[in-house]
C-alpha cells in the first residue's frame, strides 16, 4: 500500500523465487522467509493442501499435478491473489513456485500494483538437469508442514519423521523420474520466459544452486539486501 504522500512503503519486501523442481526453492524459501519475517507462499504447497482437503480446487488440480503439467493460470492466480490479501502478507511475501507462466507474472504485477507494491527481486536458482533429477528422486517431503529432505544428502534426524514438526515423511508421486522429466520440460517451456521477463525489468538475480544449503542461503540474502 502507498503511504499518504504516495510513496511506496520501503519496509515491504516482495520477492519471487524461481527455479525448476529440485533447485532448492522450498528449502531456501523457508530460510529466507524466517530471516525477513515474511510469509513463505508456495503455490505447490497450497495446491497439495487443497488436494488433501478435497476442495473443488484440489479436485480440479489433481490430474494436472499427477502428470507434472501446470494447473490452469486462472485457478492458480485466483488462489495466490486470495493468499496475498490475507493480513500477514501486507508487509511482503516470498513467492515460491509462482509465477510459472507469463500470464501469471503479469497478474502478479497487477495485484501488487493495486496496493502500490512491486517486486524487489526475482531470484533464479540454477542447477543442471542431471542434478535436479538426482535430488528429486531422493527427496522426502513432510505430509504436514511440507519441509523437504534428501535421503542421502540431507536426511532427517529420525528416519521417516520430520525434524521440524514430527510429521510423516513421504515421497511425492510427482517426484518419480518420469514425472520430474516432464516437470523440467514444462519449466523450460513455460517458466524460462518468466525468467527473461524479470531480467528485462532489471530485478532478476541468478544464483548457483549447486552449492551447500548454507552457502546458497548467504548468497540469497546478499542479493535480497543489495539496494
Ligand atoms: P511444486 O511443488 O512447486 O513442484 O508444484 C507441484 C505441482 O503443482 C506442479 O507440477 C504443478 O502441477 C502445480 N503447480 C504449482 N505451482 C503452479 C503454478 N504457479 N502454476 C501452475 N501449476 C502449478
Amino acid at each position: 500500500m502507498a503511504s499518504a504522500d504516495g510513496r511506496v512503503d520501503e519496509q515491504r519486501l516482495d520477492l519471487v523465487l524461481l527455479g525448476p523442481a529440485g533447485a532448492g526453492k522450498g528449502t531456501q524459501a523457508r530460510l529466507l522467509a524466517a530471516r525477513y519475517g515474511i510469509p513463505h507462499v508456495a503455490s505447490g504447497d497450497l495446491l497439495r493442501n487443497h488436494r488433501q482437503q478435497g476442495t473443488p480446487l484440489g479436485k480440479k488440480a489433481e490430474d494436472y499435478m499427477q502428470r507434472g503439467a501446470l494447473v490452469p493460470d486462472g485457478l492458480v492466480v485466483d488462489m495466490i491473489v486470495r493468499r496475498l490479501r490475507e493480513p500477514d502478507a501486507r508487509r511482503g511475501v516470498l513467492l515460491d513456485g509462482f509465477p510459472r507462466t507469463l500470464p501469471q507474472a503479469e497478474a502478479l504485477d497487477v495485484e501488487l500494483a493495486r496496493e502500490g507494491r512491486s517486486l524487489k527481486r526475482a531470484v533464479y536458482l540454477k542447477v543442471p538437469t542431471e542434478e535436479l533429477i538426482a535430488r528429486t528422486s531422493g527427496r522426502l517431503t513432510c505430509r504436514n508442514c511440507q519441509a523437504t529432505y534428501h535421503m542421502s544428502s540431507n536426511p532427517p534426524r529420525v528416519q521417516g519423521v520430520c525434524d521440524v514438526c514430527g510429521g510423516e515423511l513421504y515421497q511425492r508421486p510427482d517426484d518419480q523420474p518420469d514425472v520430474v522429466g516432464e516437470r523440467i520440460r514444462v519449466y523450460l517451456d513455460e517458466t524460462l520466459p518468466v525468467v527473461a521477463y524479470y531480467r528485462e525489468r532489471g530485478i532478476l538475480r541468478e544464483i548457483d544452486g549447486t552449492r551447500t544449503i548454507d552457502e546458497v542461503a548467504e548468497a540469497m540474502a546478499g542479493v535480497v539486501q543489495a539496494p
Side-chain angles (χ1 to χ4, degrees):
M1 205 175 295
S3 57
D5 61 2
R7 277 182 304 113
V8 172
D9 184 348
E10 295 292 332
Q11 299 304 310
R12 283 234 173 81
L13 187 57
D14 289 307
L15 303 170
V16 161
L17 198 45
L18 298 160
K25 294 190 303 295
T27 302
Q28 293 299 331
R30 281 184 185 84
L31 296 172
L32 259 192
R35 189 165 185 155
Y36 294 109
I38 53 177
H40 166 211
V41 174
S43 48
D45 291 355
L46 293 175
L47 288 167
R48 279 185 289 281
N49 286 339
H50 276 277
R51 284 179 62 187
Q52 263 174 11
Q53 287 160 19
T55 66
L57 170 58
K59 289 192 176 114
K60 285 183 199 151
E62 198 165 292
D63 176 53
Y64 299 98
M65 293 176 76
Q66 277 166 353
R67 287 188 282 121
L70 292 183
V71 175
D73 287 337
L75 297 176
V76 180
V77 166
D78 192 48
M79 173 184 82
I80 293 291
V81 164
R82 282 169 200 266
R83 180 65 188 85
L84 291 179
R85 291 182 186 175
E86 283 177 27
D88 68 331
R90 285 182 190 277
R91 283 197 48 239
V93 75
L94 174 51
L95 287 165
D96 158 11
F98 180 95
R100 276 228 209 348
T101 65
L102 277 179
Q104 291 182 15
E106 286 159 4
L108 175 62
D109 285 344
V110 169
E111 175 59 18
L112 290 177
R114 211 182 58 90
E115 293 197 34
R117 298 159 67 164
S118 67
L119 284 179
K120 177 169 186 201
R121 290 272 181 278
V123 184
Y124 177 31
L125 276 179
K126 288 180 83 171
V127 173
T129 303
E130 316 81 69
E131 189 163 342
L132 296 173
I133 294 183
R135 285 184 182 187
T136 44
S137 58
R139 177 154 76 176
L140 298 167
T141 302
C142 175
R143 263 190 216 288
N144 181 44
C145 75
Q146 316 238 17
T148 54
Y149 301 85
H150 188 275
M151 287 171 190
S152 48
S153 63
N154 180 27
R157 283 194 291 270
V158 178
Q159 198 185 338
V161 181
C162 178
D163 292 353
V164 181
C165 74
E168 182 201 353
L169 301 183
Y170 78 119
Q171 256 196 300
R172 278 171 48 182
D174 63 345
D175 279 346
Q176 305 296 331
D178 52 335
V179 186
V180 169
E182 176 62 9
R183 288 165 66 203
I184 293 170
R185 193 193 64 70
V186 169
Y187 187 85
L188 297 175
D189 280 0
E190 304 281 350
T191 311
L192 282 188
V194 178
V195 172
Y197 175 80
Y198 291 133
R199 186 179 289 123
E200 275 160 31
R201 292 228 328 241
I203 60 170
L204 185 82
R205 299 292 182 275
E206 298 187 32
I207 288 190
D208 171 6
T210 61
R211 292 175 288 171
T212 65
I213 292 175
D214 288 347
E215 284 168 347
V216 175
E218 277 316 302
M220 303 243 331
V223 300
V224 168
Q225 278 158 17

